[in-house]
PDB file of all heavy atoms in Angstrom:
ATOM      1  N   LEU A  43     -47.674 -27.559 -98.594  1.00  0.00           N
ATOM      2  CA  LEU A  43     -47.419 -28.887 -98.067  1.00  0.00           C
ATOM      3  C   LEU A  43     -48.583 -29.258 -97.132  1.00  0.00           C
ATOM      4  O   LEU A  43     -48.592 -28.679 -96.030  1.00  0.00           O
ATOM      5  CB  LEU A  43     -46.066 -29.003 -97.402  1.00  0.00           C
ATOM      6  CG  LEU A  43     -44.875 -28.844 -98.401  1.00  0.00           C
ATOM      7  CD1 LEU A  43     -43.637 -28.572 -97.600  1.00  0.00           C
ATOM      8  CD2 LEU A  43     -44.743 -30.028 -99.229  1.00  0.00           C
ATOM      9  N   SER A  44     -49.386 -30.124 -97.589  1.00  0.00           N
ATOM     10  CA  SER A  44     -50.519 -30.605 -96.678  1.00  0.00           C
ATOM     11  C   SER A  44     -49.989 -31.714 -95.737  1.00  0.00           C
ATOM     12  O   SER A  44     -48.947 -32.256 -96.028  1.00  0.00           O
ATOM     13  CB  SER A  44     -51.624 -31.205 -97.515  1.00  0.00           C
ATOM     14  OG  SER A  44     -52.077 -30.205 -98.462  1.00  0.00           O
ATOM     15  N   PRO A  45     -50.710 -31.923 -94.670  1.00  0.00           N
ATOM     16  CA  PRO A  45     -50.322 -32.984 -93.729  1.00  0.00           C
ATOM     17  C   PRO A  45     -50.129 -34.280 -94.543  1.00  0.00           C
ATOM     18  O   PRO A  45     -51.038 -34.618 -95.387  1.00  0.00           O
ATOM     19  CB  PRO A  45     -51.431 -33.155 -92.797  1.00  0.00           C
ATOM     20  CG  PRO A  45     -52.048 -31.742 -92.761  1.00  0.00           C
ATOM     21  CD  PRO A  45     -51.881 -31.254 -94.139  1.00  0.00           C
ATOM     22  N   LEU A  46     -49.056 -34.993 -94.430  1.00  0.00           N
ATOM     23  CA  LEU A  46     -48.797 -36.197 -95.221  1.00  0.00           C
ATOM     24  C   LEU A  46     -49.724 -37.332 -94.884  1.00  0.00           C
ATOM     25  O   LEU A  46     -50.010 -37.644 -93.639  1.00  0.00           O
ATOM     26  CB  LEU A  46     -47.373 -36.624 -94.975  1.00  0.00           C
ATOM     27  CG  LEU A  46     -46.275 -35.728 -95.496  1.00  0.00           C
ATOM     28  CD1 LEU A  46     -44.896 -36.208 -95.128  1.00  0.00           C
ATOM     29  CD2 LEU A  46     -46.416 -35.570 -96.988  1.00  0.00           C
ATOM     30  N   LYS A  47     -50.224 -37.945 -95.844  1.00  0.00           N
ATOM     31  CA  LYS A  47     -51.159 -39.116 -95.730  1.00  0.00           C
ATOM     32  C   LYS A  47     -50.368 -40.365 -95.635  1.00  0.00           C
ATOM     33  O   LYS A  47     -49.217 -40.524 -96.095  1.00  0.00           O
ATOM     34  CB  LYS A  47     -52.143 -39.125 -96.930  1.00  0.00           C
ATOM     35  CG  LYS A  47     -52.901 -37.849 -97.049  1.00  0.00           C
ATOM     36  CD  LYS A  47     -53.914 -37.899 -98.245  1.00  0.00           C
ATOM     37  CE  LYS A  47     -54.768 -36.724 -98.259  1.00  0.00           C
ATOM     38  NZ  LYS A  47     -54.678 -35.954 -99.406  1.00  0.00           N
ATOM     39  N   THR A  48     -51.067 -41.387 -95.051  1.00  0.00           N
ATOM     40  CA  THR A  48     -50.427 -42.774 -94.886  1.00  0.00           C
ATOM     41  C   THR A  48     -49.948 -43.236 -96.256  1.00  0.00           C
ATOM     42  O   THR A  48     -48.914 -43.778 -96.400  1.00  0.00           O
ATOM     43  CB  THR A  48     -51.433 -43.634 -94.155  1.00  0.00           C
ATOM     44  OG1 THR A  48     -51.851 -43.122 -92.996  1.00  0.00           O
ATOM     45  CG2 THR A  48     -50.696 -44.965 -93.952  1.00  0.00           C
ATOM     46  N   ARG A  49     -50.827 -43.014 -97.284  1.00  0.00           N
ATOM     47  CA  ARG A  49     -50.493 -43.479 -98.573  1.00  0.00           C
ATOM     48  C   ARG A  49     -49.059 -42.901 -99.095  1.00  0.00           C
ATOM     49  O   ARG A  49     -48.281 -43.553 -99.699  1.00  0.00           O
ATOM     50  CB  ARG A  49     -51.575 -43.125 -99.579  1.00  0.00           C
ATOM     51  CG  ARG A  49     -51.357 -43.472-100.966  1.00  0.00           C
ATOM     52  CD  ARG A  49     -52.470 -43.033-101.924  1.00  0.00           C
ATOM     53  NE  ARG A  49     -53.762 -43.457-101.519  1.00  0.00           N
ATOM     54  CZ  ARG A  49     -54.277 -44.655-101.786  1.00  0.00           C
ATOM     55  NH1 ARG A  49     -53.548 -45.521-102.538  1.00  0.00           N
ATOM     56  NH2 ARG A  49     -55.481 -44.976-101.426  1.00  0.00           N
ATOM     57  N   THR A  50     -48.964 -41.610 -98.761  1.00  0.00           N
ATOM     58  CA  THR A  50     -47.694 -41.000 -99.159  1.00  0.00           C
ATOM     59  C   THR A  50     -46.510 -41.470 -98.399  1.00  0.00           C
ATOM     60  O   THR A  50     -45.409 -41.736 -98.954  1.00  0.00           O
ATOM     61  CB  THR A  50     -47.812 -39.472 -98.872  1.00  0.00           C
ATOM     62  OG1 THR A  50     -48.930 -38.959 -99.562  1.00  0.00           O
ATOM     63  CG2 THR A  50     -46.580 -38.659 -99.402  1.00  0.00           C
ATOM     64  N   TRP A  51     -46.701 -41.830 -97.162  1.00  0.00           N
ATOM     65  CA  TRP A  51     -45.612 -42.456 -96.362  1.00  0.00           C
ATOM     66  C   TRP A  51     -45.216 -43.744 -96.962  1.00  0.00           C
ATOM     67  O   TRP A  51     -43.931 -43.953 -97.168  1.00  0.00           O
ATOM     68  CB  TRP A  51     -46.059 -42.643 -94.925  1.00  0.00           C
ATOM     69  CG  TRP A  51     -45.091 -43.621 -94.182  1.00  0.00           C
ATOM     70  CD1 TRP A  51     -45.330 -44.867 -93.712  1.00  0.00           C
ATOM     71  CD2 TRP A  51     -43.695 -43.336 -93.960  1.00  0.00           C
ATOM     72  NE1 TRP A  51     -44.178 -45.336 -93.132  1.00  0.00           N
ATOM     73  CE2 TRP A  51     -43.218 -44.451 -93.219  1.00  0.00           C
ATOM     74  CE3 TRP A  51     -42.841 -42.321 -94.167  1.00  0.00           C
ATOM     75  CZ2 TRP A  51     -41.844 -44.590 -92.844  1.00  0.00           C
ATOM     76  CZ3 TRP A  51     -41.497 -42.403 -93.769  1.00  0.00           C
ATOM     77  CH2 TRP A  51     -41.062 -43.536 -93.135  1.00  0.00           C
ATOM     78  N   TYR A  52     -46.157 -44.583 -97.475  1.00  0.00           N
ATOM     79  CA  TYR A  52     -45.775 -45.807 -98.059  1.00  0.00           C
ATOM     80  C   TYR A  52     -45.057 -45.625 -99.415  1.00  0.00           C
ATOM     81  O   TYR A  52     -44.286 -46.465 -99.808  1.00  0.00           O
ATOM     82  CB  TYR A  52     -46.957 -46.749 -98.256  1.00  0.00           C
ATOM     83  CG  TYR A  52     -47.354 -47.405 -96.977  1.00  0.00           C
ATOM     84  CD1 TYR A  52     -48.598 -46.976 -96.279  1.00  0.00           C
ATOM     85  CD2 TYR A  52     -46.578 -48.343 -96.385  1.00  0.00           C
ATOM     86  CE1 TYR A  52     -48.899 -47.642 -95.086  1.00  0.00           C
ATOM     87  CE2 TYR A  52     -46.869 -48.935 -95.172  1.00  0.00           C
ATOM     88  CZ  TYR A  52     -48.062 -48.624 -94.507  1.00  0.00           C
ATOM     89  OH  TYR A  52     -48.420 -49.148 -93.341  1.00  0.00           O
ATOM     90  N   LYS A  53     -45.264 -44.508-100.074  1.00  0.00           N
ATOM     91  CA  LYS A  53     -44.489 -44.240-101.301  1.00  0.00           C
ATOM     92  C   LYS A  53     -43.130 -43.724-100.962  1.00  0.00           C
ATOM     93  O   LYS A  53     -42.134 -44.041-101.662  1.00  0.00           O
ATOM     94  CB  LYS A  53     -45.211 -43.160-102.070  1.00  0.00           C
ATOM     95  CG  LYS A  53     -46.488 -43.567-102.843  1.00  0.00           C
ATOM     96  CD  LYS A  53     -47.034 -42.434-103.542  1.00  0.00           C
ATOM     97  CE  LYS A  53     -48.368 -42.677-104.096  1.00  0.00           C
ATOM     98  NZ  LYS A  53     -48.904 -41.515-104.832  1.00  0.00           N
ATOM     99  N   LEU A  54     -43.102 -42.948 -99.902  1.00  0.00           N
ATOM    100  CA  LEU A  54     -41.756 -42.331 -99.561  1.00  0.00           C
ATOM    101  C   LEU A  54     -40.787 -43.278 -98.888  1.00  0.00           C
ATOM    102  O   LEU A  54     -39.541 -43.239 -99.018  1.00  0.00           O
ATOM    103  CB  LEU A  54     -41.979 -41.118 -98.641  1.00  0.00           C
ATOM    104  CG  LEU A  54     -42.616 -39.837 -99.205  1.00  0.00           C
ATOM    105  CD1 LEU A  54     -42.816 -38.875 -98.145  1.00  0.00           C
ATOM    106  CD2 LEU A  54     -41.762 -39.370-100.351  1.00  0.00           C
ATOM    107  N   LYS A  55     -41.353 -44.232 -98.076  1.00  0.00           N
ATOM    108  CA  LYS A  55     -40.501 -45.124 -97.257  1.00  0.00           C
ATOM    109  C   LYS A  55     -39.432 -45.870 -98.014  1.00  0.00           C
ATOM    110  O   LYS A  55     -38.269 -45.785 -97.698  1.00  0.00           O
ATOM    111  CB  LYS A  55     -41.407 -46.061 -96.529  1.00  0.00           C
ATOM    112  CG  LYS A  55     -40.661 -46.966 -95.487  1.00  0.00           C
ATOM    113  CD  LYS A  55     -41.638 -47.915 -94.842  1.00  0.00           C
ATOM    114  CE  LYS A  55     -40.884 -48.873 -93.933  1.00  0.00           C
ATOM    115  NZ  LYS A  55     -41.850 -49.730 -93.213  1.00  0.00           N
ATOM    116  N   PRO A  56     -39.806 -46.503 -99.117  1.00  0.00           N
ATOM    117  CA  PRO A  56     -38.615 -47.244 -99.906  1.00  0.00           C
ATOM    118  C   PRO A  56     -37.641 -46.241-100.422  1.00  0.00           C
ATOM    119  O   PRO A  56     -36.382 -46.578-100.472  1.00  0.00           O
ATOM    120  CB  PRO A  56     -39.331 -48.026-100.921  1.00  0.00           C
ATOM    121  CG  PRO A  56     -40.747 -47.598-100.986  1.00  0.00           C
ATOM    122  CD  PRO A  56     -41.063 -46.818 -99.778  1.00  0.00           C
ATOM    123  N   LEU A  57     -38.053 -45.143-100.790  1.00  0.00           N
ATOM    124  CA  LEU A  57     -37.033 -44.117-101.372  1.00  0.00           C
ATOM    125  C   LEU A  57     -36.182 -43.655-100.272  1.00  0.00           C
ATOM    126  O   LEU A  57     -34.901 -43.554-100.448  1.00  0.00           O
ATOM    127  CB  LEU A  57     -37.783 -42.916-101.967  1.00  0.00           C
ATOM    128  CG  LEU A  57     -38.763 -43.188-103.110  1.00  0.00           C
ATOM    129  CD1 LEU A  57     -39.509 -41.977-103.497  1.00  0.00           C
ATOM    130  CD2 LEU A  57     -37.965 -43.763-104.300  1.00  0.00           C
ATOM    131  N   LEU A  58     -36.668 -43.330 -99.086  1.00  0.00           N
ATOM    132  CA  LEU A  58     -35.903 -42.831 -97.957  1.00  0.00           C
ATOM    133  C   LEU A  58     -34.929 -43.950 -97.420  1.00  0.00           C
ATOM    134  O   LEU A  58     -33.819 -43.653 -97.011  1.00  0.00           O
ATOM    135  CB  LEU A  58     -36.758 -42.400 -96.830  1.00  0.00           C
ATOM    136  CG  LEU A  58     -37.579 -41.108 -97.232  1.00  0.00           C
ATOM    137  CD1 LEU A  58     -38.600 -40.772 -96.034  1.00  0.00           C
ATOM    138  CD2 LEU A  58     -36.744 -39.941 -97.513  1.00  0.00           C
ATOM    139  N   LEU A  59     -35.400 -45.252 -97.469  1.00  0.00           N
ATOM    140  CA  LEU A  59     -34.580 -46.297 -96.999  1.00  0.00           C
ATOM    141  C   LEU A  59     -33.386 -46.602 -97.973  1.00  0.00           C
ATOM    142  O   LEU A  59     -32.430 -47.218 -97.559  1.00  0.00           O
ATOM    143  CB  LEU A  59     -35.362 -47.517 -96.748  1.00  0.00           C
ATOM    144  CG  LEU A  59     -36.309 -47.528 -95.540  1.00  0.00           C
ATOM    145  CD1 LEU A  59     -37.249 -48.717 -95.599  1.00  0.00           C
ATOM    146  CD2 LEU A  59     -35.549 -47.369 -94.323  1.00  0.00           C
ATOM    147  N   SER A  60     -33.482 -46.134 -99.229  1.00  0.00           N
ATOM    148  CA  SER A  60     -32.381 -46.371-100.109  1.00  0.00           C
ATOM    149  C   SER A  60     -31.223 -45.329 -99.941  1.00  0.00           C
ATOM    150  O   SER A  60     -30.198 -45.483-100.608  1.00  0.00           O
ATOM    151  CB  SER A  60     -32.903 -46.317-101.620  1.00  0.00           C
ATOM    152  OG  SER A  60     -33.357 -45.075-101.898  1.00  0.00           O
ATOM    153  N   ILE A  61     -31.430 -44.453 -99.081  1.00  0.00           N
ATOM    154  CA  ILE A  61     -30.336 -43.505 -98.748  1.00  0.00           C
ATOM    155  C   ILE A  61     -29.520 -44.089 -97.677  1.00  0.00           C
ATOM    156  O   ILE A  61     -30.099 -44.458 -96.630  1.00  0.00           O
ATOM    157  CB  ILE A  61     -30.876 -42.120 -98.285  1.00  0.00           C
ATOM    158  CG1 ILE A  61     -31.746 -41.443 -99.490  1.00  0.00           C
ATOM    159  CG2 ILE A  61     -29.766 -41.150 -97.923  1.00  0.00           C
ATOM    160  CD1 ILE A  61     -32.508 -40.208 -99.082  1.00  0.00           C
ATOM    161  N   GLU A  62     -28.276 -44.130 -97.896  1.00  0.00           N
ATOM    162  CA  GLU A  62     -27.351 -44.765 -96.769  1.00  0.00           C
ATOM    163  C   GLU A  62     -27.473 -43.927 -95.548  1.00  0.00           C
ATOM    164  O   GLU A  62     -27.610 -42.635 -95.571  1.00  0.00           O
ATOM    165  CB  GLU A  62     -25.901 -44.761 -97.289  1.00  0.00           C
ATOM    166  CG  GLU A  62     -25.724 -45.703 -98.496  1.00  0.00           C
ATOM    167  CD  GLU A  62     -24.221 -45.592 -99.025  1.00  0.00           C
ATOM    168  OE1 GLU A  62     -23.369 -45.160 -98.326  1.00  0.00           O
ATOM    169  OE2 GLU A  62     -24.115 -45.863-100.224  1.00  0.00           O
ATOM    170  N   LYS A  63     -27.273 -44.537 -94.410  1.00  0.00           N
ATOM    171  CA  LYS A  63     -27.471 -43.959 -93.089  1.00  0.00           C
ATOM    172  C   LYS A  63     -26.585 -42.773 -92.936  1.00  0.00           C
ATOM    173  O   LYS A  63     -27.022 -41.624 -92.443  1.00  0.00           O
ATOM    174  CB  LYS A  63     -27.180 -45.008 -92.032  1.00  0.00           C
ATOM    175  CG  LYS A  63     -27.472 -44.374 -90.611  1.00  0.00           C
ATOM    176  CD  LYS A  63     -27.204 -45.381 -89.555  1.00  0.00           C
ATOM    177  CE  LYS A  63     -27.417 -44.743 -88.183  1.00  0.00           C
ATOM    178  NZ  LYS A  63     -27.111 -45.593 -87.038  1.00  0.00           N
ATOM    179  N   GLU A  64     -25.285 -42.801 -93.228  1.00  0.00           N
ATOM    180  CA  GLU A  64     -24.330 -41.714 -93.148  1.00  0.00           C
ATOM    181  C   GLU A  64     -24.812 -40.519 -93.989  1.00  0.00           C
ATOM    182  O   GLU A  64     -24.611 -39.391 -93.582  1.00  0.00           O
ATOM    183  CB  GLU A  64     -22.938 -42.130 -93.439  1.00  0.00           C
ATOM    184  CG  GLU A  64     -22.356 -43.245 -92.643  1.00  0.00           C
ATOM    185  CD  GLU A  64     -22.799 -44.660 -93.029  1.00  0.00           C
ATOM    186  OE1 GLU A  64     -23.163 -44.903 -94.230  1.00  0.00           O
ATOM    187  OE2 GLU A  64     -22.860 -45.513 -92.175  1.00  0.00           O
ATOM    188  N   ASP A  65     -25.194 -40.845 -95.155  1.00  0.00           N
ATOM    189  CA  ASP A  65     -25.659 -39.761 -96.090  1.00  0.00           C
ATOM    190  C   ASP A  65     -26.969 -39.084 -95.559  1.00  0.00           C
ATOM    191  O   ASP A  65     -27.099 -37.931 -95.633  1.00  0.00           O
ATOM    192  CB  ASP A  65     -25.930 -40.323 -97.513  1.00  0.00           C
ATOM    193  CG  ASP A  65     -24.620 -40.670 -98.164  1.00  0.00           C
ATOM    194  OD1 ASP A  65     -23.591 -40.178 -97.821  1.00  0.00           O
ATOM    195  OD2 ASP A  65     -24.716 -41.567 -99.141  1.00  0.00           O
ATOM    196  N   ALA A  66     -27.867 -39.931 -95.000  1.00  0.00           N
ATOM    197  CA  ALA A  66     -29.059 -39.339 -94.384  1.00  0.00           C
ATOM    198  C   ALA A  66     -28.749 -38.395 -93.287  1.00  0.00           C
ATOM    199  O   ALA A  66     -29.358 -37.281 -93.106  1.00  0.00           O
ATOM    200  CB  ALA A  66     -29.972 -40.461 -93.953  1.00  0.00           C
ATOM    201  N   GLU A  67     -27.787 -38.822 -92.469  1.00  0.00           N
ATOM    202  CA  GLU A  67     -27.330 -37.921 -91.353  1.00  0.00           C
ATOM    203  C   GLU A  67     -26.749 -36.661 -91.794  1.00  0.00           C
ATOM    204  O   GLU A  67     -27.143 -35.615 -91.245  1.00  0.00           O
ATOM    205  CB  GLU A  67     -26.397 -38.743 -90.396  1.00  0.00           C
ATOM    206  CG  GLU A  67     -27.009 -39.810 -89.667  1.00  0.00           C
ATOM    207  CD  GLU A  67     -26.063 -40.753 -88.957  1.00  0.00           C
ATOM    208  OE1 GLU A  67     -24.795 -40.434 -89.050  1.00  0.00           O
ATOM    209  OE2 GLU A  67     -26.441 -41.587 -88.269  1.00  0.00           O
ATOM    210  N   LYS A  68     -26.031 -36.665 -92.907  1.00  0.00           N
ATOM    211  CA  LYS A  68     -25.467 -35.456 -93.517  1.00  0.00           C
ATOM    212  C   LYS A  68     -26.579 -34.522 -94.075  1.00  0.00           C
ATOM    213  O   LYS A  68     -26.518 -33.367 -93.896  1.00  0.00           O
ATOM    214  CB  LYS A  68     -24.451 -35.783 -94.507  1.00  0.00           C
ATOM    215  CG  LYS A  68     -23.151 -36.379 -94.073  1.00  0.00           C
ATOM    216  CD  LYS A  68     -22.246 -36.771 -95.240  1.00  0.00           C
ATOM    217  CE  LYS A  68     -21.092 -37.556 -94.720  1.00  0.00           C
ATOM    218  NZ  LYS A  68     -20.301 -38.110 -95.874  1.00  0.00           N
ATOM    219  N   LEU A  69     -27.465 -35.197 -94.632  1.00  0.00           N
ATOM    220  CA  LEU A  69     -28.666 -34.395 -95.239  1.00  0.00           C
ATOM    221  C   LEU A  69     -29.507 -33.813 -94.208  1.00  0.00           C
ATOM    222  O   LEU A  69     -29.980 -32.745 -94.407  1.00  0.00           O
ATOM    223  CB  LEU A  69     -29.440 -35.386 -96.073  1.00  0.00           C
ATOM    224  CG  LEU A  69     -30.452 -34.820 -97.174  1.00  0.00           C
ATOM    225  CD1 LEU A  69     -29.673 -33.878 -98.077  1.00  0.00           C
ATOM    226  CD2 LEU A  69     -31.144 -35.857 -97.862  1.00  0.00           C
ATOM    227  N   LEU A  70     -29.674 -34.524 -93.134  1.00  0.00           N
ATOM    228  CA  LEU A  70     -30.616 -34.020 -92.092  1.00  0.00           C
ATOM    229  C   LEU A  70     -29.885 -33.062 -91.183  1.00  0.00           C
ATOM    230  O   LEU A  70     -30.514 -32.316 -90.379  1.00  0.00           O
ATOM    231  CB  LEU A  70     -31.144 -35.201 -91.166  1.00  0.00           C
ATOM    232  CG  LEU A  70     -32.129 -36.024 -91.930  1.00  0.00           C
ATOM    233  CD1 LEU A  70     -32.489 -37.231 -91.129  1.00  0.00           C
ATOM    234  CD2 LEU A  70     -33.409 -35.240 -92.303  1.00  0.00           C
ATOM    235  N   SER A  71     -28.559 -32.997 -91.207  1.00  0.00           N
ATOM    236  CA  SER A  71     -27.904 -32.118 -90.220  1.00  0.00           C
ATOM    237  C   SER A  71     -27.957 -30.691 -90.711  1.00  0.00           C
ATOM    238  O   SER A  71     -28.137 -30.469 -91.948  1.00  0.00           O
ATOM    239  CB  SER A  71     -26.356 -32.485 -90.162  1.00  0.00           C
ATOM    240  OG  SER A  71     -25.712 -32.143 -91.443  1.00  0.00           O
ATOM    241  N   ARG A  72     -28.021 -29.786 -89.792  1.00  0.00           N
ATOM    242  CA  ARG A  72     -28.239 -28.357 -90.078  1.00  0.00           C
ATOM    243  C   ARG A  72     -27.029 -27.580 -89.530  1.00  0.00           C
ATOM    244  O   ARG A  72     -26.778 -27.665 -88.337  1.00  0.00           O
ATOM    245  CB  ARG A  72     -29.514 -27.896 -89.551  1.00  0.00           C
ATOM    246  CG  ARG A  72     -30.655 -28.579 -90.149  1.00  0.00           C
ATOM    247  CD  ARG A  72     -32.017 -28.020 -89.859  1.00  0.00           C
ATOM    248  NE  ARG A  72     -32.057 -26.643 -90.171  1.00  0.00           N
ATOM    249  CZ  ARG A  72     -32.929 -26.170 -91.084  1.00  0.00           C
ATOM    250  NH1 ARG A  72     -33.789 -26.973 -91.639  1.00  0.00           N
ATOM    251  NH2 ARG A  72     -32.942 -24.872 -91.293  1.00  0.00           N
ATOM    252  N   LYS A  73     -26.339 -26.925 -90.431  1.00  0.00           N
ATOM    253  CA  LYS A  73     -25.276 -26.005 -89.966  1.00  0.00           C
ATOM    254  C   LYS A  73     -25.753 -24.598 -90.192  1.00  0.00           C
ATOM    255  O   LYS A  73     -25.691 -24.075 -91.230  1.00  0.00           O
ATOM    256  CB  LYS A  73     -24.048 -26.350 -90.734  1.00  0.00           C
ATOM    257  CG  LYS A  73     -23.574 -27.809 -90.524  1.00  0.00           C
ATOM    258  CD  LYS A  73     -22.218 -28.053 -91.055  1.00  0.00           C
ATOM    259  CE  LYS A  73     -21.865 -29.456 -90.638  1.00  0.00           C
ATOM    260  NZ  LYS A  73     -20.787 -29.940 -91.421  1.00  0.00           N
ATOM    261  N   ASN A  74     -26.160 -24.012 -89.050  1.00  0.00           N
ATOM    262  CA  ASN A  74     -26.661 -22.616 -89.074  1.00  0.00           C
ATOM    263  C   ASN A  74     -27.902 -22.501 -89.995  1.00  0.00           C
ATOM    264  O   ASN A  74     -28.187 -21.454 -90.449  1.00  0.00           O
ATOM    265  CB  ASN A  74     -25.575 -21.577 -89.514  1.00  0.00           C
ATOM    266  CG  ASN A  74     -24.449 -21.528 -88.541  1.00  0.00           C
ATOM    267  OD1 ASN A  74     -24.549 -21.830 -87.374  1.00  0.00           O
ATOM    268  ND2 ASN A  74     -23.227 -21.331 -89.111  1.00  0.00           N
ATOM    269  N   GLY A  75     -28.664 -23.633 -90.139  1.00  0.00           N
ATOM    270  CA  GLY A  75     -29.840 -23.663 -90.938  1.00  0.00           C
ATOM    271  C   GLY A  75     -29.578 -23.463 -92.400  1.00  0.00           C
ATOM    272  O   GLY A  75     -30.493 -23.144 -93.178  1.00  0.00           O
ATOM    273  N   GLU A  76     -28.309 -23.571 -92.836  1.00  0.00           N
ATOM    274  CA  GLU A  76     -28.079 -23.360 -94.250  1.00  0.00           C
ATOM    275  C   GLU A  76     -27.601 -24.642 -94.984  1.00  0.00           C
ATOM    276  O   GLU A  76     -27.307 -25.599 -94.397  1.00  0.00           O
ATOM    277  CB  GLU A  76     -26.820 -22.393 -94.301  1.00  0.00           C
ATOM    278  CG  GLU A  76     -27.213 -21.080 -93.789  1.00  0.00           C
ATOM    279  CD  GLU A  76     -26.048 -20.125 -93.862  1.00  0.00           C
ATOM    280  OE1 GLU A  76     -25.028 -20.478 -94.454  1.00  0.00           O
ATOM    281  OE2 GLU A  76     -26.130 -18.944 -93.296  1.00  0.00           O
TER     282      GLU A  76
END
Side-chain angles (χ1 to χ4, degrees):
L43 292 166
S44 301
L46 293 174
K47 298 179 174 123
T48 305
R49 176 183 306 277
T50 303
W51 166 245
Y52 282 109
K53 287 181 187 177
L54 291 175
K55 185 178 176 183
L57 298 176
L58 295 174
L59 289 174
S60 65
I61 299 172
E62 294 174 25
K63 183 180 179 187
E64 297 82 26
D65 290 337
E67 288 171 0
K68 290 175 188 173
L69 195 59
L70 290 171
S71 70
R72 298 189 56 118
K73 297 189 177 168
N74 299 327
E76 295 179 8

